[in-house]
Amino acid sequence: MTTSLEFGLDTFGDVTKDAAGAPLPHAQVIRNVVDEAVLADQLGIDFIGLGEHHRADFAISSPETVLAAIAARTRNIRLGSAVTVLSSDDPIRVFQRFATVDAVSNGRAEVILGRGSFTESFPLFGFDLRQYNELFEEKLDLFTELLKQEPVSWQGKLRPPLKGQSVYPPVEHGRLKTWIGVGGSPESVVRAAHYDLPLMLAIIGGDPKRFAPYVDLHQRAYQQFGRTPKPIGVHSPGYVAETDAQAREELWLDYKVMRDRIGKERGWPPMGRDEFVAEAEHGSLYVGAPETVARKIAATVKALGAARFQLKYSAGPLPHEKLMKSIELYGRKVMPMVRDMLAA
């Protein structure tokens, strides 16, 4: 598994700043994300995922639209969401949009489905947060029926039933690759196994090894269902520069801006430099020189048996030019180093 490790990048389209320190327009951020994906494709990176958000600090609210633009300028990189908030969307429309991206990209589309750690989409689209879990359960059940690409007869509680309905366009070759994004809920881990879908672990803080029990649970659940386990992936934030000191210095203040803004909404205390350093040294923040980041990725992959590692390369208003350099180092140096470490 480890010798065929896939490498990915994730971004939420964080609103970055220009040379004068002013926030860029959302439209320019989106165009920059397309350029970042083109560079990733040129470097041989396997996957890029775009998060869905509906707030001022993240520019991407329609990942599929941006993915279609990326598809037109790339040849090999796989294109997906990170994540699609299925609870506040329509499963049929989600399937149709990603089937369309799959068509224009010649079979490179993926979707990572999640409940979402941000809730702005619920009031925006008229959904009741009190049905947070029920909405996801029912919509995921319908979405997995759509993956079969057969006329759908299905009934739930929150929408009218379907009777022999066909959904277009179909995926041209095989089945739309679909992951379940999980932030640390045992129920979500078992749910992924129940629906026979690969698991993407969002590990954004603390020692990645603390997720090992979820990996064990995933394996046990598959055994109980009598199936061969699907792959596990890991999504974590990070930043690569020429040296550890440079990476930390360039990332620190912008990462703190992002972390404190979200933390204020959720009741977290402001992030101190000691916490940042601890996350960089022992936690789930992959920041440093290429060898440092490679060593951390290799350790996580070995500990969790991951088949894919996705680096969330954008964090706060860090400028586009620095993100491009980080992507270049990730593709040219980190990836080969990780492969060598895993093969040793």
Side-chain angles (χ1 to χ4, degrees):
M1 177 183 294
T2 53
T3 55
S4 60
L5 176 69
E6 294 181 345
F7 293 88
L9 293 170
D10 289 340
T11 179
F12 298 163
D14 304 56
V15 172
T16 51
K17 56 191 177 185
D18 62 19
L24 290 175
H26 285 68
Q28 184 59 55
V29 173
I30 290 170
R31 290 190 289 269
N32 287 346
V33 167
V34 175
D35 289 340
E36 290 155 12
V38 170
L39 175 61
D41 182 57
Q42 294 168 349
L43 293 167
I45 294 169
D46 298 298
F47 173 85
I48 187 160
L50 308 184
E52 174 200 344
H53 294 85
H54 305 272
R55 45 186 290 143
D57 45 349
F58 300 126
I60 299 174
S61 61
S62 177
E64 306 92 335
T65 307
V66 185
L67 291 170
I70 293 170
R73 294 184 55 193
T74 57
R75 301 185 64 179
N76 298 306
I77 195 166
R78 295 191 62 81
L79 312 167
S81 57
V83 300
T84 292
V85 185
L86 187 64
S87 309
S88 57
D89 211 328
D90 181 88
I92 294 175
R93 295 295 288 141
V94 171
F95 181 87
Q96 289 176 322
R97 295 195 299 264
F98 277 92
T100 301
V101 173
D102 196 70
V104 298
S105 66
N106 197 23
R108 292 186 278 137
E110 300 183 8
V111 58
I112 303 177
L113 303 174
R115 292 182 295 178
S117 62
F118 294 85
T119 58
E120 290 84 2
S121 61
F122 286 79
L124 184 63
F125 299 122
F127 291 97
D128 189 342
L129 262 176
R130 292 173 297 182
Q131 295 181 312
Y132 181 81
N133 292 315
E134 188 179 2
L135 283 164
F136 185 72
E137 288 275 4
E138 181 165 304
K139 292 183 178 190
L140 178 60
D141 189 67
L142 173 54
F143 193 89
T144 56
E145 289 298 312
L146 301 173
L147 291 175
K148 299 174 183 178
Q149 299 202 108
E150 301 170 351
V152 178
S153 294
W154 177 93
Q155 184 168 347
K157 297 179 180 178
L158 303 176
R159 61 164 294 157
L162 298 170
K163 296 182 180 179
Q165 289 289 129
S166 295
V167 176
Y168 303 101
V171 174
E172 186 175 19
H173 301 294
R175 171 178 164 122
L176 178 66
K177 186 165 186 178
T178 302
W179 303 69
I180 298 292
V182 176
S185 162
E187 293 80 10
S188 297
V189 173
V190 174
R191 184 186 296 116
H194 170 73
Y195 286 109
D196 198 22
L197 297 173
L199 183 69
M200 182 60 64
L201 297 171
I203 307 178
I204 59 174
D207 187 344
K209 297 181 184 65
R210 68 190 177 89
F211 276 73
Y214 295 106
V215 175
D216 293 339
L217 176 61
H218 187 251
Q219 302 290 326
R220 293 198 309 272
Y222 264 97
Q223 289 175 0
Q224 292 180 3
F225 291 127
R227 305 191 190 111
T228 301
K230 287 290 193 293
I232 290 174
V234 172
H235 150 106
S236 290
Y239 179 73
V240 191
E242 295 291 351
T243 67
D244 289 350
Q246 180 186 352
R248 292 184 184 187
E249 199 59 36
E250 289 182 354
L251 180 64
W252 155 238
L253 289 178
D254 291 307
Y255 189 83
K256 176 177 169 59
V257 167
M258 180 269 299
R259 167 64 170 70
D260 288 354
R261 181 173 54 238
I262 295 171
K264 185 177 181 181
E265 299 169 2
R266 301 184 181 185
W268 303 340
M271 181 178 231
R273 184 65 184 249
D274 289 347
E275 181 185 351
F276 174 80
V277 171
E279 278 295 327
E281 293 182 349
H282 309 293
S284 299
L285 183 57
Y286 295 74
V287 56
E291 185 175 359
T292 300
V293 174
R295 194 180 307 115
K296 285 195 70 171
I297 292 174
T300 297
V301 168
K302 289 178 180 177
L304 302 180
R308 179 187 287 175
F309 182 88
Q310 296 179 191
L311 184 79
K312 185 185 180 292
Y313 68 91
S314 60
L318 196 66
H320 166 66
E321 292 75 19
K322 290 184 178 179
L323 297 180
M324 292 285 275
K325 181 62 177 178
S326 179
I327 291 169
E328 182 177 1
L329 290 171
Y330 180 70
R332 294 194 188 282
K333 295 187 176 182
V334 173
M335 286 169 30
M337 288 179 180
V338 174
R339 292 192 179 103
D340 289 344
M341 291 173 184
L342 294 176

